[in-house]
Amino acid sequence: MTPPRAKPRRSRAGRILIQAPGRLRALVRGSEAGLVALAALAGCVAGLAVSAMNLATQALRELLFGLPAGTRLSAADAVAPLTLLLGPALGGAGLGLLIFAVGRWRGRRRRPVIDPIEANALHGGRMSLRDSLYVSIQNVISNGCGASVGLEAGYTQISAGIASRLGIAFELRRGDLRTLVGCGSAAAIAAAFGAPLTGAFYAFELIIGTYSIATLTPVVVAALCGSVVARTLVPTPPMVAVEGIEAITTTTLTTADTLPSLVLGLVCAALGILIMRGVTLVEQGVVATRLPRVFGPALGGLCVGFLALAASAQILSGGHGALHLLLAAHGPAIGAGGLALLFAGKATASAISIGSGFRGGLFFASLFLGAIAGKLFAALAPEIVPGIAALGLTPLAYAVIGMSALAVAIIGGPLTMTFLALELTGSFPVTGLVLVAVIASSLTVRKTFGYSFATWRFHLRGESIRSAHDVGWIRNLTVGRLMRKDVRPVPLDTPLATFLRAHPLGSPSRVIVTDAQERYAGIVMVPEAHAMAREAQNGEEPGLADVVRHPGDFLTPGMNAKEASAAFDRTESEALAVVDGEAERRVIGLLTESHTLKRYSEELDRQRQAMVGEAV
């Protein structure tokens, strides 16, 4: 007899979930090699996605601005002024129409898009592929029309979303799904920069939140696959290139070069905080105008166009072409005034672009701004400290150091940016100075500001996460999931004798009592009630109200285990009632401290095992 076919599983929204065949799922879930193979697949798909986005944005720029094939917008010098002015505004209008159309289609089903950091911190690696695709399309339009945003946010969003969907199809465990999301992000960054080590450590530091032996192989394999696929499909030079080691240093580097690098790192930390604050101020200003969201990108694009006319076309788009020119050994010479104007224009354009509703990130913008800051430092420092000019570093070296230091201040990931400098220059001495600068920048931002750009935006939304470290499990370990629901409250006006007959010694030792409106009134300890009845004198029978404990202490189902443990410590109680809310106070369960601590310890041990790569 043929066994009945299993019904397809559906998500909470009612959509059918695509699942891999059962044997294949078991192979991937039960074997480290299976996870590595899935990571390689995610890496290859990420390479495809990055290549497709690159081609789409370049085609859009060539169409809007009339660029020759392959010419970067920020490196173009023959764009008509009117086109330069109106191109970003036209793209912003198109983006506004897209936002309006999608908003009408979704209606009330709108929900915030979950990015890879938030997915791994709060949702166990679960992301919406549909939302990720929508973000990537917005990013392509934003970057393609010249808005001063990078594509890296779109790269990681779509790549991590695809990886998450793959993991869900194979029903991966929570830890493995988080790792696979990191693999997708690593492959995206590796494909974008042609730098596998940079991609891998981007995943470790920013997406997974930790490094472990268990995650090393899948993440590195995904990064390598993404880089190879992208280079094969779109054989273009690296997005960032430094022409020759001889352009970096003039003499052998010494310890005297460390101090300028340290100072540059501190300067970049201050600049990074100002830029992040600036983006927030622009967003608040746009909100204060009460301008409909669909009109924001068009207005912002017009402002960016004016800035491009006033400063330079180098402030447009991500800035890849402009960074190539800036890092070229024999590129055009720009004075200190020109560098300062370019920095101010690019920073302002990035703040306006993101604040007005264009979709994108500050990854590449921070690299470009850091390179400008490094060259500006090299131009101004000899005027302040004449001896700096005699050291072994050239302005190009300071550009590389500043590029990494400012990117760390805004994006985070000290090792990520250090490996980026190493893979770009191949110079270990300069990489050592980069490490000094990024440590100074990272420490300063962490102690004075406390956030990267991504986590700062989470903070503005009311989220408390500071990294991708998995804290979602404790939010899921709620009182509502831990409590006992088989509780039978007793009315507070029940005679004590009746209560004692219904609850003899040896029965459950705690009984919840409610008032006349069936609201929580406290907990009665059965042994205490029996003891009080025995000690009663003069024939006066005490009531339940005389033995009630914790009338104002209770838990709610939305509290997590950590909050519940704090409540037990504060009340010095071994058990507390669970009510549906502070207003109604209808009793729905009971939770003991011992059960809470047991489940909390089990989950902590599970997290520790996952971190060190032990079988869970």
Side-chain angles (χ1 to χ4, degrees):
M1 182 176 178
T2 305
R5 297 179 62 184
K7 294 182 179 180
R9 290 184 58 193
R10 293 179 178 269
S11 67
R12 291 180 180 178
R15 295 189 296 269
I16 295 178
L17 296 176
I18 300 175
Q19 289 182 296
R23 291 184 179 179
L24 193 56
R25 292 203 308 270
L27 177 64
V28 171
R29 284 171 55 88
S31 138
E32 185 176 355
L35 179 61
V36 172
L38 201 58
L41 176 60
C44 292
V45 176
L48 286 169
V50 169
S51 300
M53 289 181 65
N54 278 333
L55 293 173
T57 50
Q58 182 61 25
L60 185 55
R61 285 192 292 263
E62 292 173 4
L63 177 65
L64 274 178
F65 296 94
L67 301 177
T71 301
R72 296 283 189 180
L73 175 59
S74 58
D77 55 2
V79 180
L82 187 60
T83 304
L84 207 61
L85 173 65
L86 297 181
L90 289 174
L95 180 61
L97 289 174
L98 176 65
I99 293 172
F100 175 76
V102 173
R104 289 291 299 272
W105 174 62
R106 285 186 172 182
R108 295 184 178 180
R109 294 180 297 166
R110 291 183 195 174
R111 58 186 182 277
V113 176
I114 298 172
D115 78 348
I117 296 176
E118 186 180 3
N120 270 4
L122 300 177
H123 304 285
R126 290 183 171 268
M127 298 175 63
S128 167
L129 182 56
R130 179 182 296 176
D131 287 349
S132 298
L133 181 61
Y134 177 47
V135 168
S136 299
I137 293 173
Q138 287 181 295
N139 199 183
V140 166
I141 295 173
S142 301
N143 184 275
C145 74
S148 189
V149 293
L151 281 169
E152 291 73 27
Y155 293 155
T156 55
Q157 183 73 39
I158 187 63
S159 300
I162 292 171
S164 176
R165 181 53 57 191
L166 277 174
I168 293 172
F170 281 87
E171 295 187 351
L172 293 185
R173 301 175 183 86
R174 183 186 184 94
D176 290 340
L177 185 58
R178 294 180 72 254
T179 298
L180 198 60
V181 168
C183 291
S185 301
I189 296 300
F193 291 94
L197 282 176
T198 301
F201 276 87
Y202 178 89
F204 291 138
E205 293 185 300
L206 301 176
I207 306 300
I208 300 176
T210 186
Y211 165 84
S212 68
I213 297 299
T215 59
L216 175 63
T217 302
V219 169
V220 171
V221 166
L224 288 170
C225 289
S227 178
V228 169
V229 169
R231 286 201 306 266
T232 302
L233 293 176
V234 185
T236 57
M239 285 189 175
V240 181
V242 178
E243 299 177 358
I245 299 301
E246 68 278 0
I248 297 291
T249 60
T250 57
T251 62
T252 303
L253 297 180
T254 65
T255 53
D257 296 292
T258 302
L259 183 58
S261 302
L262 180 63
V263 174
L264 180 54
L266 297 175
V267 170
C268 288
L271 293 174
I273 295 172
L274 287 175
I275 291 170
M276 289 186 280
R277 289 283 190 183
V279 172
T280 303
L281 288 176
V282 172
E283 287 180 323
Q284 292 173 347
V286 172
V287 172
T289 63
R290 297 185 178 180
L291 184 72
R293 186 186 174 198
V294 295
F295 298 121
L299 180 60
L302 192 61
C303 295
V304 170
F306 273 117
L307 279 174
L309 285 177
S312 169
Q314 292 186 10
I315 71 168
L316 295 177
S317 198
H320 300 97
L323 186 57
H324 276 294
L325 294 176
L326 194 69
L327 296 181
H330 305 290
I334 306 177
L339 289 170
L341 178 63
L342 183 58
F343 185 94
K346 181 64 177 179
T348 305
S350 295
I352 291 174
S353 297
I354 295 177
S356 62
F358 283 104
R359 181 72 75 165
L362 289 177
F363 193 119
F364 206 94
S366 65
L367 294 176
F368 182 38
L369 289 168
I372 299 172
K375 279 210 167 183
L376 189 58
F377 179 84
L380 297 179
E383 303 296 329
I384 303 173
V385 184
I388 286 183
L391 298 178
L393 294 176
T394 66
L396 186 56
Y398 283 117
V400 173
I401 295 170
M403 179 179 71
S404 302
L406 188 58
V408 163
I410 295 176
I411 306 301
L415 287 179
T416 301
M417 302 310 168
T418 303
F419 278 111
L420 178 61
L422 176 62
E423 291 184 291
L424 296 180
T425 66
S427 172
F428 283 98
V430 170
T431 303
L433 297 179
V434 166
L435 186 59
V436 171
V438 300
I439 288 175
S441 177
S442 176
L443 182 62
T444 302
V445 172
R446 191 168 68 249
K447 294 301 181 183
T448 59
F449 188 63
Y451 301 92
S452 67
F453 182 62
T455 55
W456 171 240
R457 294 174 75 79
F458 293 146
H459 168 72
L460 294 177
R461 278 171 34 195
E463 289 288 355
S464 59
I465 58 176
R466 296 290 184 99
S467 71
H469 186 75
D470 190 7
V471 296
W473 65 270
I474 193 171
R475 295 194 180 188
N476 293 333
L477 197 65
T478 61
V479 169
R481 295 180 59 184
L482 296 175
M483 69 181 184
R484 284 175 43 202
K485 299 180 181 179
D486 55 338
V487 293
R488 296 181 179 179
V490 172
L492 183 61
D493 56 4
T494 302
L496 183 60
T498 303
F499 177 86
L500 295 179
R501 285 195 299 272
H503 301 87
L505 290 172
S507 62
S509 60
R510 301 177 187 88
V511 178
I512 298 174
V513 294
T514 55
D515 59 17
Q517 288 78 35
E518 297 186 350
R519 293 159 53 94
Y520 171 71
I523 296 178
V524 172
M525 306 298 293
V526 172
E528 289 183 3
H530 280 272
M532 180 169 288
R534 288 195 301 269
E535 295 172 0
Q537 298 178 356
N538 301 325
E540 295 182 0
E541 181 180 318
L544 286 182
D546 297 321
V547 289
V548 166
R549 288 191 175 195
H550 311 295
D553 299 317
F554 50 81
L555 304 173
T556 56
M559 289 181 173
N560 61 47
K562 190 174 182 180
E563 294 169 333
S565 298
F568 288 126
D569 289 338
R570 185 183 69 254
T571 60
E572 298 181 355
S573 172
E574 295 180 357
L576 288 173
V578 183
V579 301
D580 59 354
E582 295 186 7
E584 296 294 332
R585 297 177 67 170
R586 184 174 62 86
V587 177
I588 58 175
L590 178 74
L591 183 62
T592 64
E593 183 180 25
S594 59
H595 180 64
T596 303
L597 293 178
K598 177 184 176 183
R599 291 286 291 113
Y600 187 52
S601 298
E602 289 174 351
E603 290 298 328
L604 280 177
D605 189 56
R606 190 188 303 273
Q607 294 297 315
R608 181 194 64 78
Q609 290 177 350
M611 186 175 296
V612 300
E614 296 178 2
V616 179

